[in-house]
Amino acid sequence: MDFTEVPVKQDKKSKMKKTKKLKKNTTMEEGTAEGGPVEGKMEQTEAAETSFPPAFSLSDIKNKQRRHMMFMKFKQEKRKQKLQIRKKKKKERKALGDKAPPKEVPKTIENQRVYDETTVDPEDEEVAFDEGTDEFSAYFNGISNPKVLVTTSDRPHWRTVRFCEQLATVIPNAHVFYRRGLALKRVIPQCIARDFTYLMVINEDRKVPNGMVLCHLPDGPTAHFKVSSVRLRKEIKRRGKDPTEHFPEVILNNFSTRLGHSIGRLFAALFPQNPQFVGRQVATFHNQRDFVFFRFHRYIFKNEKKVGIQELGPRFTLKLRSLQKGTFDSKFGEYEWVLKRHEMDACRRKFQL
Amino acid sequence: MGERSRLCSVWLGSETGILKGVSVSRKQAFNFCNTSHLSRDQEVRALCWMDPSQSELLVGSVDGNVKTFSTEKGEFTETRCCGDPADGCFVGLAAIGGSTVVTCAESGVLRVWREDSSEPSTELDAGKNVCRMRQSPIHPNKVATGGKENGLKVWDLEIPEKPVFSAKNMRDDWLDLRRPHWVKDMAFIPDSDKLVTCTGFHQVHIFDPSTPCRRPVLEAEFGEYPLTTLSLPSSGNTVVVGNTHGQIALLDLRKGLVRGCLKGLSGGVRGLQCHSSQPVVASCGLDRFLRIHNLEDRKVQHKVYLKSRLNCLLLSSQDLEIKGAEEEGSKNQEVKKEEEDEDEVWDTMEKVEEAGDKLKRKVVEIDVEEEVEDKDEEAPQPQQKKSEKKMNKKNKTK
């Protein structure tokens, strides 16, 4: 058999080089008795090659039903393989016991975040001074107490009104007013005269609340947020009883950059500085991928280890659109930060807050 | 401090009252201020060079003081009180002939201070709500002022009674309504009498005092937000303007068309300056970044985070990149040599000799190699060169 294999290899080589010569070779070797059967095999393989091109894929099947079937089969096989690998890994881990290598941390766009050079270092003197003397310093030094005016855009839908009312139960010392078609620039001086420290305006579009202007008084800054996925109290499942009038605690999560710090301070200054722990209520502003999630909970310590929480609502998500220096003046105001879409969010792993 | 300040090619004044210097090529930023007693009263509002050689800076702060900062020593050398805080903050600062200082406050009081006198030598009133005062680069005695409801005025400081040129308001619009004035910034176009202004109503105007027409010769618009500053690049025919939303654009002065926008900013622009020879523009503002854009390909070349909001900016006329690079080179060799020069002359002498020796040796080596190649014979030589010769031989055999 060794003897027969040699000419085949030669044939293959010649085929690689010149296909025309191949025919001649086959005729030559047909005459020799030993080369005959080998040649037959070769022709078979050739035929197979022509029917299945080397880059075969399921999408080449023209029949839709057949293609679908094949695809399902392919999928199932893949899933089976995956499960097998997972089982095998689990077994290995069990067998190794304590010596097992630590589990790999999954890659998310948050832990792959691009480093932001404005990330605040808590020991930085200059930033500390800047924050210590900014517009919120009066609140943080305990000189002023928050007083919030909540209003809406003109002719609000009942849902927006309800949302405002519920926000006013979350924020202590908040007063809801009907807008009465007044311009914000005329409202602001009156607010300052009445010692309000915040003006909060909920804007709506097509009867759905979709924007929030949060203006710190008397001298700014003003933040403009997009509001989405608003859930009123009624729409939340397994919610607790209505909140009490105690001052809630405030949790601010993940506001790490310089801009994030300003926004965090803006939210913190909405609430009084001395929470009443008797109420056991917490307002949370959680920042994740530049979206700020607001939740309002009541907690209870069931025993030393277990804590129960109960959502009280409302629940909504904010996204910063712009931060403006000074009180609301969208035409002539100077902007400290403006969201520039397609320019800032070109990189999915870069976050601003 | 002196070494540091000599490195810096960009100077910035911040809202927290810190004077910042940035060395572009070394990518370093320095604070020139004692951080122990910072205060917002010292917020820097204006910066200018004291003399053409650019060894001293004038820093105008909110509390009405003008401080002199020496870039050689790296510290503040002099503080002078130029006007009280009741006048409002400085909107412009200029120096004439290395000693005389011109200040202008928001209330429109323009004062000229001669050296060593606590009283202003000249005082003139430029009207209320002045937004900016600028000095002509060619005639240092000429300054321009303008502000809100206060049209552009050009003053000759030797004739303080009356402005040399005062702009007229724009013609009423098609509804016969008055058009408001709001000059935010202006610049003298070199090689002509013309001036460019930018307004709070996102217009760019060109005025030509040489013609009898007191209204703008050309009007261009950019964007929909108030323009804050402008600057003229060294190559003519264009102007760079910035607005409150962090948009910077290059406008053509011939037809008023937008030539291109500079991207990458996130907050309003406060300070903008083009380099006097290179095609670069530096910008700073409320987003706390210094950005240096190339005007040719409009890309960001450098971006430095400076921790506080920045009000004003000043570039030195030297080449931005070279200044640092030179210093870097000098840090290794030249500075050391200079010091040694000062200390011991003989050391340097020896060094020079050594250098000469090295050169000679090199020459000798080359000769030897050539000989080897020619004759292929061996002569008694130091060990170092033997190996070289061997190498040569090997090469030959190959």
Side-chain angles (χ1 to χ4, degrees):
Chain A
M1 288 300 284
D2 283 346
F3 185 75
T4 52
E5 269 180 39
V6 177
V8 174
K9 275 183 185 171
Q10 280 176 347
D11 266 350
K12 272 189 179 170
K13 272 183 189 172
S14 65
K15 191 189 120 191
M16 293 273 278
K17 282 171 189 169
K18 285 167 193 174
T19 45
K20 277 185 183 176
K21 269 193 177 178
L22 193 110
K23 274 186 182 174
K24 279 182 186 175
N25 277 338
T26 50
T27 49
M28 285 280 282
E29 279 172 13
E30 266 179 320
T32 58
E34 288 169 8
V38 181
E39 262 317 301
K41 268 186 191 175
M42 229 200 73
E43 274 180 332
Q44 273 178 8
T45 52
E46 256 190 61
E49 268 177 45
T50 47
S51 65
F52 278 110
F56 170 72
S57 75
L58 286 174
S59 59
D60 288 344
I61 303 174
K62 296 274 167 62
N63 186 330
K64 188 174 180 180
Q65 284 173 325
R66 197 167 171 72
R67 185 172 65 226
H68 180 71
M69 213 178 68
M70 293 284 271
F71 181 69
M72 294 310 282
K73 258 190 191 172
F74 172 71
K75 271 272 195 183
Q76 272 180 352
E77 234 160 73
K78 226 182 171 183
R79 201 180 299 148
K80 265 185 194 172
Q81 272 184 357
K82 213 177 174 183
L83 277 172
Q84 270 181 354
I85 291 169
R86 202 180 277 179
K87 265 188 181 174
K88 205 178 157 192
K89 266 196 173 174
K90 217 177 180 183
K91 257 190 183 175
E92 276 176 10
R93 284 188 76 85
K94 252 194 175 175
L96 281 169
D98 292 341
K99 288 171 196 169
K103 273 189 180 175
E104 282 173 30
V105 182
K107 268 189 186 177
T108 60
I109 60 170
E110 283 129 286
N111 63 24
Q112 302 293 308
R113 179 177 186 170
V114 177
Y115 175 71
D116 195 311
E117 62 261 71
T118 66
T119 307
V120 176
D121 174 16
E123 286 164 15
D124 200 306
E125 256 181 29
E126 194 181 329
V127 176
F129 170 75
D130 195 11
E131 285 193 342
T133 53
D134 67 355
E135 296 92 343
F136 304 110
S137 55
Y139 164 78
F140 284 99
N141 294 337
I143 299 165
S144 68
N145 279 324
K147 188 180 174 188
V148 184
L149 189 147
V150 183
T151 184
T152 61
S153 51
D154 271 343
R155 295 164 59 83
H157 191 236
W158 66 267
R159 216 177 119 82
T160 313
V161 176
R162 210 50 49 80
F163 180 48
C164 286
E165 281 168 2
Q166 297 189 1
L167 267 180
T169 58
V170 172
I171 303 165
N173 207 1
H175 307 265
V176 184
F177 281 86
Y178 186 62
R179 175 78 171 263
R180 285 172 36 215
L182 288 169
L184 278 189
K185 280 187 198 170
R186 287 183 58 198
V187 171
I188 286 169
Q190 295 179 28
C191 288
I192 295 172
R194 285 169 176 74
D195 286 334
F196 279 98
T197 59
Y198 267 102
L199 172 68
M200 187 190 272
V201 185
I202 310 291
N203 287 315
E204 63 172 24
D205 181 32
R206 297 179 200 178
K207 303 178 182 179
V208 177
N210 75 334
M212 182 200 271
V213 175
L214 196 56
C215 177
H216 184 252
L217 302 173
D219 40 26
T222 307
H224 184 203
F225 296 97
K226 179 177 88 177
V227 179
S228 57
S229 38
V230 176
R231 284 277 203 91
L232 298 182
R233 244 165 231 159
K234 227 179 176 180
E235 297 149 8
I236 292 173
K237 285 178 185 171
R238 291 182 290 281
R239 74 191 157 95
K241 283 179 185 169
D242 282 356
T244 53
E245 291 201 336
H246 296 100
F247 296 167
E249 296 155 55
V250 182
I251 298 176
L252 297 164
N253 272 345
N254 286 346
F255 293 97
S256 57
T257 63
R258 187 68 190 78
L259 177 71
H261 262 234
S262 315
I263 296 298
R265 285 169 76 85
L266 187 80
F267 286 135
L270 270 173
F271 296 88
Q273 262 186 322
N274 46 342
Q276 292 168 331
F277 296 103
V278 189
R280 305 195 320 270
Q281 293 178 143
V282 196
T284 315
F285 292 92
H286 175 84
N287 169 34
Q288 192 169 359
R289 305 184 183 181
D290 285 352
F291 287 92
V292 181
F293 298 95
F294 175 83
R295 299 288 183 273
F296 193 50
H297 291 286
R298 180 181 293 141
Y299 61 84
I300 189 159
F301 292 108
K302 286 179 175 166
N303 54 38
E304 279 168 0
K305 281 172 191 168
K306 268 192 173 175
V307 184
I309 56 170
Q310 204 176 35
E311 188 161 356
L312 302 178
R315 164 200 298 188
F316 54 91
T317 308
L318 299 170
K319 187 157 198 283
L320 187 65
R321 283 270 179 78
S322 64
L323 180 65
Q324 184 215 322
K325 196 179 146 72
T327 55
F328 179 82
D329 189 350
S330 53
K331 201 172 177 190
F332 297 114
E334 271 189 297
Y335 284 81
E336 201 175 317
W337 183 85
V338 188
L339 175 69
K340 289 184 176 164
R341 291 187 60 200
H342 311 302
E343 194 180 317
M344 282 178 178
D345 49 18
C347 176
R348 282 157 55 83
R349 292 182 291 120
K350 176 116 182 84
F351 300 115
Q352 308 289 337
L353 288 181
Chain B
M1 291 295 266
E3 268 186 35
R4 280 185 189 174
S5 63
R6 255 173 270 149
L7 285 173
C8 297
S9 48
V10 187
W11 295 92
L12 300 120
S14 74
E15 220 170 58
T16 45
I18 303 171
L19 179 72
K20 287 163 183 285
V22 176
S23 157
V24 171
S25 56
R26 296 181 72 190
K27 305 194 172 177
Q28 274 181 315
F30 308 105
N31 284 351
F32 294 98
C33 165
N34 45 351
T35 48
S36 55
H37 45 88
L38 291 167
S39 81
R40 293 240 170 197
D41 300 341
Q42 289 171 345
E43 180 183 336
V44 182
R45 276 307 178 105
L47 281 177
C48 81
W49 292 112
M50 184 77 178
D51 43 359
S53 65
Q54 303 189 344
S55 61
E56 277 182 327
L57 270 173
L58 287 180
V59 180
S61 51
V62 164
D63 55 358
N65 285 333
V66 174
K67 290 181 273 188
T68 315
F69 179 86
S70 160
T71 53
E72 299 292 324
K73 293 172 197 160
E75 55 193 16
F76 289 99
T77 49
E78 201 184 329
T79 307
R80 192 199 289 200
C81 185
C82 299
D84 52 320
D87 286 343
C89 4
F90 288 122
V91 291
L93 207 60
I96 306 170
S99 60
T100 315
V101 181
V102 185
T103 64
C104 183
E106 243 172 10
S107 61
V109 191
L110 201 150
R111 296 192 178 103
V112 182
W113 308 78
R114 301 250 174 261
E115 206 173 10
D116 304 327
S117 66
S118 57
E119 289 298 309
S121 63
T122 320
E123 191 170 327
L124 59 89
D125 185 24
K128 278 178 189 169
N129 294 327
V130 174
C131 287
R132 194 60 60 104
M133 185 273 289
R134 293 254 184 184
Q135 187 186 26
S136 162
I138 300 155
H139 310 285
N141 268 338
K142 257 187 179 179
V143 294
T145 60
K148 195 168 187 177
E149 291 309 321
N150 185 351
L152 176 77
K153 292 188 186 89
V154 181
W155 304 83
D156 193 335
L157 292 178
E158 280 152 14
I159 321 162
E161 294 83 31
K162 227 180 121 189
V164 181
F165 169 79
S166 65
K168 220 173 172 182
N169 197 356
M170 300 279 295
R171 234 176 259 285
D172 293 349
D173 65 1
W174 58 285
L175 288 172
D176 284 341
L177 293 174
R178 189 184 157 275
R179 290 167 80 170
H181 256 300
W182 192 1
V183 179
K184 279 277 206 165
D185 198 357
M186 71 288 286
F188 289 85
I189 300 178
D191 314 325
S192 68
D193 288 344
K194 289 182 190 171
L195 289 114
V196 198
T197 64
C198 65
T199 68
F201 306 102
H202 53 265
Q203 303 145 323
V204 175
H205 289 150
I206 298 180
F207 292 93
D208 195 351
S210 60
T211 58
C213 174
R214 284 166 57 201
R215 291 203 168 99
V217 184
L218 181 102
E219 186 185 56
E221 289 202 357
F222 168 65
E224 40 193 306
Y225 300 104
L227 298 174
T228 48
T229 61
L230 61 81
S231 174
L232 290 169
S234 53
S235 55
N237 278 333
T238 51
V239 62
V240 185
V241 293
N243 72 8
T244 55
H245 262 235
Q247 294 163 336
I248 301 182
L250 223 79
L251 296 182
D252 198 307
L253 287 180
R254 292 168 295 189
K255 277 190 84 178
L257 297 175
V258 178
R259 262 199 189 172
C261 294
L262 306 181
K263 284 187 175 181
L265 284 90
S266 56
V269 186
R270 282 254 175 109
L272 199 64
Q273 198 184 357
C274 296
H275 195 267
S276 53
S277 54
Q278 283 175 294
V280 293
V281 59
S283 59
C284 69
L286 291 177
D287 58 352
R288 303 183 171 88
F289 274 97
L290 161 73
R291 284 189 178 78
I292 298 178
H293 284 87
N294 193 329
L295 284 175
E296 278 163 1
D297 57 2
R298 304 197 293 269
K299 295 250 166 65
V300 182
Q301 281 188 335
H302 301 281
K303 185 177 150 188
V304 189
Y305 173 56
L306 292 169
K307 292 179 187 172
S308 12
R309 291 180 196 145
L310 305 164
N311 274 336
C312 45
L313 153 120
L314 196 63
L315 292 178
S316 68
S317 58
Q318 281 147 309
D319 207 324
L320 288 180
E321 304 283 344
I322 286 174
K323 193 172 184 186
E326 261 177 23
E327 294 289 334
E328 256 180 45
S330 68
K331 220 203 166 189
N332 298 329
Q333 304 155 9
E334 289 172 17
V335 166
K336 277 183 191 171
K337 266 193 180 178
E338 279 172 16
E339 282 172 9
E340 281 168 3
D341 265 324
E342 285 165 12
D343 294 334
E344 294 167 10
V345 184
W346 292 107
D347 278 13
T348 50
M349 288 283 281
E350 279 173 14
K351 269 197 174 173
V352 168
E353 277 177 8
E354 276 172 19
D357 271 2
K358 272 178 189 170
L359 276 175
K360 274 178 193 172
R361 264 180 213 161
K362 271 184 186 172
V363 170
V364 167
E365 277 170 23
I366 292 159
D367 285 345
V368 167
E369 278 166 22
E370 280 172 1
E371 280 173 21
V372 169
E373 277 171 10
D374 290 339
K375 294 172 188 174
D376 220 12
E377 271 187 18
E378 282 189 22
Q381 265 163 0
Q383 284 186 343
Q384 285 182 351
K385 284 153 200 169
K386 269 190 180 175
S387 59
E388 283 175 11
K389 239 185 266 167
K390 276 175 189 171
M391 287 295 289
N392 274 327
K393 267 190 176 178
K394 276 176 190 172
N395 286 334
K396 270 203 165 182
T397 50
K398 273 177 189 173

